[in-house]
Amino acid sequence: MLQIQKFETLDQLKKAIQLLKNDSYYFLGEFLREIDEKNDELMVVLTLDWKETILTCVHSNQEELPKISDIFYAAELFENEIYDFYWKTTTWTNNHILRLHNYPKNYFPKRVLGKAMVEEKQEYIFTKIDFEWVTKVQVWPIHAGIIPPGHFRFTVDWEDTLNLDIQNGWVHRWVENYFTKEKDLQKLLQASSEIAGDSKIATSLSFAKLIEKSANIKVSENTKLERIIALELERIYNHLWTIWAIINDVWQWYILNWFLEIREEFLKLNKKVFNDRLLSWVINFGKNNVSLDEKKTKKILKTIKKIEDRFLNLLNISISSTWIYDRLSTTWIVTEETALTHSALWLAAKASGIKQDYREFDEYYTKFDLSPKITLWENWDCFDRFNVRAEEVKESFEIIKKAIKKLDFDKKEEKNKEIKLKDWYFVSRTEGHRWENMQMIYVENWEIKYYKFKDPSFVNWTLLEYAVLNNIIADFPVCNKSFDLSYSGFDV
């Protein structure tokens, strides 16, 4: 149940946040909503036992914002985003510029009202370590692979990495602006599935939940189960790809393509049962665009039965390989303290000994007793992150098999009715393969006036800057794969 707490002053808001942190609340995000040319609303989202609380305060857009990162360090990225995109006077220093490096200094792309333009460039500020024996190695935004751009600047002392600066934000797609301008909800649902191309189910389901909450649309048990199955299939094929990529980067080619072959089996399965290899356009409001029948579910179970033993055998070969273990263990460590400080999400948290899985509390999973078994790892390294993925694939197999048993093929689905949104704040969260996909809307006069998307990569990218310390650059590719962070999820 979403709780809203409104405050008259920003000082009252900050004091309340401190009290809630003392009560073990967890930080989810800090956002700004533009109300008119003179006023904004600051919103801080916290959670306890995975029940969300939004603390808000309407204030003048000339008023200085409090430094929430004094309380939750992870809020620094959100504060920098607010500064860069919304033209806010701040009491803190902007260390990580998120917007494109060649925007004019006072151009604020997410502020619709009262924009300012000044033809003066603002450069990205990198960490300075100036010793004559120190070398800087730059990986430029244009990547050799077909992926979105990101810039990495390593500072090394011989082979040891002293510092890593990560500069994202090279591509801004105006996603959040688009969601407040487009009035066709079907177009918005389709757009939500394309925010991060490998998370089509997670992102579209999260948006569908928002609209269903706002319009009070009832979702049948069969529809929920079908969504769970699609979401777990998406998790499986993504984890198999990352496991393949990790093994590729440690040069164990004798088992490499077996994982790729297994992944291809699941992509073919997706096409057969949901009409698309990457699960596009499966979700709709109230009722899915593609339904499962007895014939399709038999195909799913047959594929899992065919693949499960092969996957376990390959996994045993991989984790018993001294070469793989030597390359992954004690490499790029993220301690539990670092993960907690940065409000790390999902895999980075589990591999650092922190119990996190939103499926434990998601009413879709709890209703059908499908919450996953969670295995925690406490060495905090690449090998643990590899194992977290492997365990999740095994757990997804079990969840799908249980979900199929609960489907009722004789039950008829009702047609979707006309959608009328209710005015208020709405938050939805979905456990994708990168962990929690969070979306938030504010509805006024039956229209979406504010939309916010948060991919777990937004906070998890910062963890790489800590994990790299005292490691060699040559390990960067495999360690980067072990986190599997999204450029698209960051650049919205």
Side-chain angles (χ1 to χ4, degrees), residues 176-194:
E176 293 168 347
N177 298 59
Y178 174 74
F179 273 71
T180 59
K181 293 178 180 178
E182 177 58 59
K183 305 306 177 189
D184 187 333
L185 292 176
Q186 288 294 333
K187 288 183 179 179
L188 293 182
L189 181 63
Q190 188 169 6
S192 70
S193 72
E194 303 298 335

Side-chain angles (χ1 to χ4, degrees), residues 207-222:
F207 183 71
K209 286 180 179 179
L210 278 177
I211 301 304
E212 287 161 359
K213 287 179 183 178
S214 178
N216 197 25
I217 298 173
K218 292 183 179 180
V219 181
S220 70
E221 291 188 358
N222 263 18

Side-chain angles (χ1 to χ4, degrees), residues 100-119:
L100 265 170
H101 64 291
N102 61 352
Y103 275 180
K105 183 176 180 180
N106 285 344
Y107 175 69
F108 302 92
K110 291 187 179 179
R111 183 171 287 283
V112 179
L113 304 169
K115 280 183 187 172
M117 288 285 290
V118 176
E119 292 298 331

Side-chain angles (χ1 to χ4, degrees), residues 127-317:
T127 304
K128 291 184 178 180
I129 302 177
D130 293 324
F131 298 105
E132 60 183 34
W133 62 85
V134 166
T135 303
K136 289 182 172 60
V137 180
Q138 302 182 51
V139 181
W140 288 103
I142 300 174
H143 196 278
I146 307 174
I147 63 173
H151 176 52
F152 304 89
R153 182 174 294 197
F154 297 86
T155 304
V156 296
D157 177 9
W158 292 95
E159 288 192 332
D160 291 337
T161 303
L162 302 179
N163 185 72
L164 169 63
D165 281 309
I166 299 176
Q167 183 187 13
N168 286 320
W170 291 85
V171 177
H172 292 300
R173 297 172 290 158
W174 308 90
V175 170
E176 293 168 347
N177 298 59
Y178 174 74
F179 273 71
T180 59
K181 293 178 180 178
E182 177 58 59
K183 305 306 177 189
D184 187 333
L185 292 176
Q186 288 294 333
K187 288 183 179 179
L188 293 182
L189 181 63
Q190 188 169 6
S192 70
S193 72
E194 303 298 335
I195 293 175
D198 57 2
S199 305
K200 292 178 182 291
I201 296 294
T203 53
S204 59
L205 176 55
S206 190
F207 183 71
K209 286 180 179 179
L210 278 177
I211 301 304
E212 287 161 359
K213 287 179 183 178
S214 178
N216 197 25
I217 298 173
K218 292 183 179 180
V219 181
S220 70
E221 291 188 358
N222 263 18
T223 297
K224 290 179 180 179
L225 288 165
E226 289 167 353
R227 291 175 174 184
I228 289 171
I229 292 166
L231 190 59
E232 295 304 319
L233 287 172
E234 182 174 79
R235 189 185 320 280
I236 289 169
Y237 89 72
N238 275 293
H239 282 339
L240 287 171
W241 173 258
T242 306
I243 288 170
W244 172 86
I246 291 171
I247 293 174
N248 177 64
D249 283 343
V250 298
W251 313 323
Q252 291 299 284
W253 295 309
Y254 68 96
I255 57 172
L256 176 65
N257 287 328
W258 291 109
F259 281 107
L260 204 58
E261 183 185 359
I262 290 174
R263 177 180 184 263
E264 180 62 24
E265 291 286 344
F266 278 98
L267 293 176
K268 289 178 181 177
L269 176 66
N270 292 344
K271 176 68 175 177
K272 290 175 183 177
V273 298
F274 286 112
N275 301 337
D276 189 85
R277 284 167 60 88
L278 300 181
L279 302 171
S280 298
W281 205 230
V282 173
I283 306 297
N284 205 338
F285 305 120
K287 183 177 179 294
N288 300 326
N289 290 317
V290 184
S291 297
L292 294 177
D293 54 28
E294 200 167 353
K295 185 178 178 181
K296 288 180 178 180
T297 55
K298 284 181 179 179
K299 288 180 181 178
I300 296 173
L301 293 173
K302 183 179 179 181
T303 301
I304 291 176
K305 185 178 180 180
K306 174 185 174 183
I307 294 300
E308 197 166 10
D309 286 341
R310 287 169 59 192
F311 172 74
L312 293 175
N313 289 335
L314 285 171
L315 190 61
N316 288 333
I317 293 171

Side-chain angles (χ1 to χ4, degrees), residues 354-367:
I354 303 169
K355 188 176 181 180
Q356 276 193 359
D357 197 314
Y358 186 63
R359 290 175 294 177
E360 278 195 296
F361 306 94
D362 189 331
E363 61 98 7
Y364 274 44
Y365 287 81
T366 57
K367 180 179 178 63

